[in-house]
Each structure stands twice: as C-alpha cells, then as structure tokens.
C-alpha cells in the first residue's frame, strides 16, 4: 500500500470511530486541567497575596503568555493527531509566545535599573519553579499521550513533544498563581526551561506511545 493510500485509510478509520477524535480531545483537555488543578492545590496552592497581585499587570501578564501557549499547543496537537494534516497553518502561531515575552523583556530591561536585573532574573523561586511546573505537568502529559493513541499521528515524536508543550503550558498557568516572581525575565528564562523538560519527555514517550 502506498503512503497516501495508507493515510487515506487511516483518515477513514478515524471518521468511523465510536468516539469522534475531536470529542476525545475535549475530554482530554478537561481531564488534564482537572488533574493539574488537583496537583497544584495539593502540592503548593496560590500565593498568599493572590487577590492583591491579581490587580498588577506583571502578574496578569504571566497568564496571558501561558494561556496563549495552551491555546496554540492544543490546536497544534489536535492537527498532529490526524494523519496527513497540514500543521503549517497552526504551527506559525507558536511565534506569538516569543514575541510576547521578547516585548515584555525589552520593556523590563528599560524599566529596571541595571544593577537589579540579575536579582529580578534569578528571583526567589527558581528551584520551586523548575520542580513544580514539571510535577504539575506530568499528569496532563500522560493524558495527552493517551489521547494521541486514539488518533494516528504520522510524526509521533513531534506529537509527543507538542503534548509536553501543552502540558507545560497548563502546568505553568497554575504555577503562575503561586509564583511571586512576576518579572518577564524570570518567566522567559525559568518557565521556559521547566516547560522544555516536559517537551523533551513528551518527545521521548511519544516516539514509543503514539506510534502505530
């Protein structure tokens, strides 16, 4: 069977599934969010001054970035789960996050005195961030990898990596409610490193779990 014929056959099989693929992804994102929320409230919970911080732009900016990542990664993962789908019309949206962070970091460099830049960059919760974003994201990553098996990704390693990116975005969104380091420099560096760990794990697991 030629590759195109196989892809068309898989696409036809997906349409005949008892549970539509789109519906399974809705269940997956809901389940992953519930699992992440449970892990967040059990492990760390929101910061003590959450209601006060919620009125500050730098605190709210963290959620703009992480939620944008969740939306784009979810759309990309759904496309990757379907054989033969063109990911280019979704993948380019990932540049939105570097643009948002880059703009905020540039503004921070102008606003913060040079002798304080290292302090705000390092913050006070580096190790907490690098620990709990991956921990909160492990459950969602497992959910998304399981959901990928309901589809037929032709690039399982890439699909697994995007599953890790989505799980990291959800975990970072919850963690942002706990984190007292609101500097874009901190977010751009340490949140990114923590999420990258989940991306790498997703790529490794996706190659094994999501292949067919």
């Amino acid at each position: 069977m030629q590759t195109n014929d196989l892809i068309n056959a898989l696409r036809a099989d997906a349409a005949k599934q008892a549970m539509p693929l789109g519906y399974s992804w809705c269940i997956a994102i809901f389940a992953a969010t519930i699992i992440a929320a449970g892990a967040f409230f059990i492990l760390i919970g929101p910061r003590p001054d959450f209601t006060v911080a919620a009125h500050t732009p730098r605190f709210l900016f963290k959620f703009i970035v992480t939620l944008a990542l969740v939306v784009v990664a979810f759309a990309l993962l759904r496309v990757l789960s379907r054989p033969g789908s063109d990911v280019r019309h979704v993948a380019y949206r990932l540049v939105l996050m570097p643009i948002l962070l880059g703009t905020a970091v540039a503004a921070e460099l102008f606003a913060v005195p040079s002798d304080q830049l290292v302090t705000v960059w390092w913050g006070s919760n580096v190790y907490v961030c690098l620990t709990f974003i991956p921990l909160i994201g492990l459950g969602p990553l497992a959910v998304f990898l399981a959901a990928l098996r309901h589809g037929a990704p032709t690039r399982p390693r890439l699909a697994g990596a995007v599953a890790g990116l989505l799980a990291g975005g959800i975990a970072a969104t919850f963690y942002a409610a706990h984190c007292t380091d609101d500097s874009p420099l901190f977010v751009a560096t340490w949140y990114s490193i923590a999420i990258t760990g989940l991306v790498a794990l997703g790529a490794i697991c996706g190659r094994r779990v999501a292949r067919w």
Side-chain angles (χ1 to χ4, degrees):
M1 181 181 292
Q2 294 183 354
T3 302
N4 290 337
D5 294 334
L6 177 59
I7 289 174
N8 289 332
L10 287 169
R11 190 179 291 160
D13 288 341
K16 297 176 182 178
Q17 289 177 349
M19 181 186 294
L21 188 56
Y23 183 66
S24 69
W25 278 117
C26 291
I27 294 176
I29 193 70
F30 178 78
T33 302
I34 294 299
I35 291 171
F40 169 73
F41 284 105
I42 290 171
L43 294 173
I44 48 178
R47 56 195 275 182
D49 64 340
F50 178 85
T51 55
V52 176
H55 293 86
T56 60
R58 293 165 88 239
F59 178 75
L60 295 175
F61 175 77
K62 296 188 295 186
F63 295 94
I64 293 174
V65 174
T66 58
L67 288 174
L69 176 60
V70 169
V71 171
V72 176
F74 182 55
L76 181 57
L77 187 58
R78 290 185 62 180
V79 172
L80 283 168
S81 68
R82 299 179 183 275
S85 297
D86 184 4
V87 301
R88 289 174 294 181
H89 70 286
V90 177
Y92 80 92
R93 300 175 190 171
L94 287 173
V95 302
L96 175 64
M97 273 57 70
I99 291 174
L100 284 173
L101 283 172
T103 302
V105 167
E108 185 90 333
L109 293 175
F110 282 104
V112 176
S114 58
D115 60 341
Q116 297 179 23
L117 286 175
V118 173
T119 301
V120 298
W121 167 74
W122 183 258
S124 58
N125 293 285
V126 169
Y127 299 114
V128 177
C129 173
L130 295 178
T131 299
F132 284 100
I133 288 180
L135 281 179
I136 295 170
L138 284 176
L141 175 58
V143 171
F144 296 136
L145 289 173
L148 280 174
R149 293 183 63 85
H150 190 71
T154 55
R155 285 166 284 188
R157 180 181 295 179
L158 177 60
V162 176
L165 187 65
L166 176 56
I170 292 174
T173 300
F174 280 102
Y175 176 75
H178 170 84
C179 182
T180 55
D181 293 304
D182 299 335
S183 168
L185 285 167
F186 184 94
V187 174
T189 303
W190 307 114
Y191 280 43
S192 298
I193 292 174
I195 292 172
T196 298
L198 287 166
V199 172
L201 180 60
I204 294 170
C205 294
R207 183 181 179 185
R208 300 174 182 273
V209 174
R211 67 181 181 181
W212 42 271

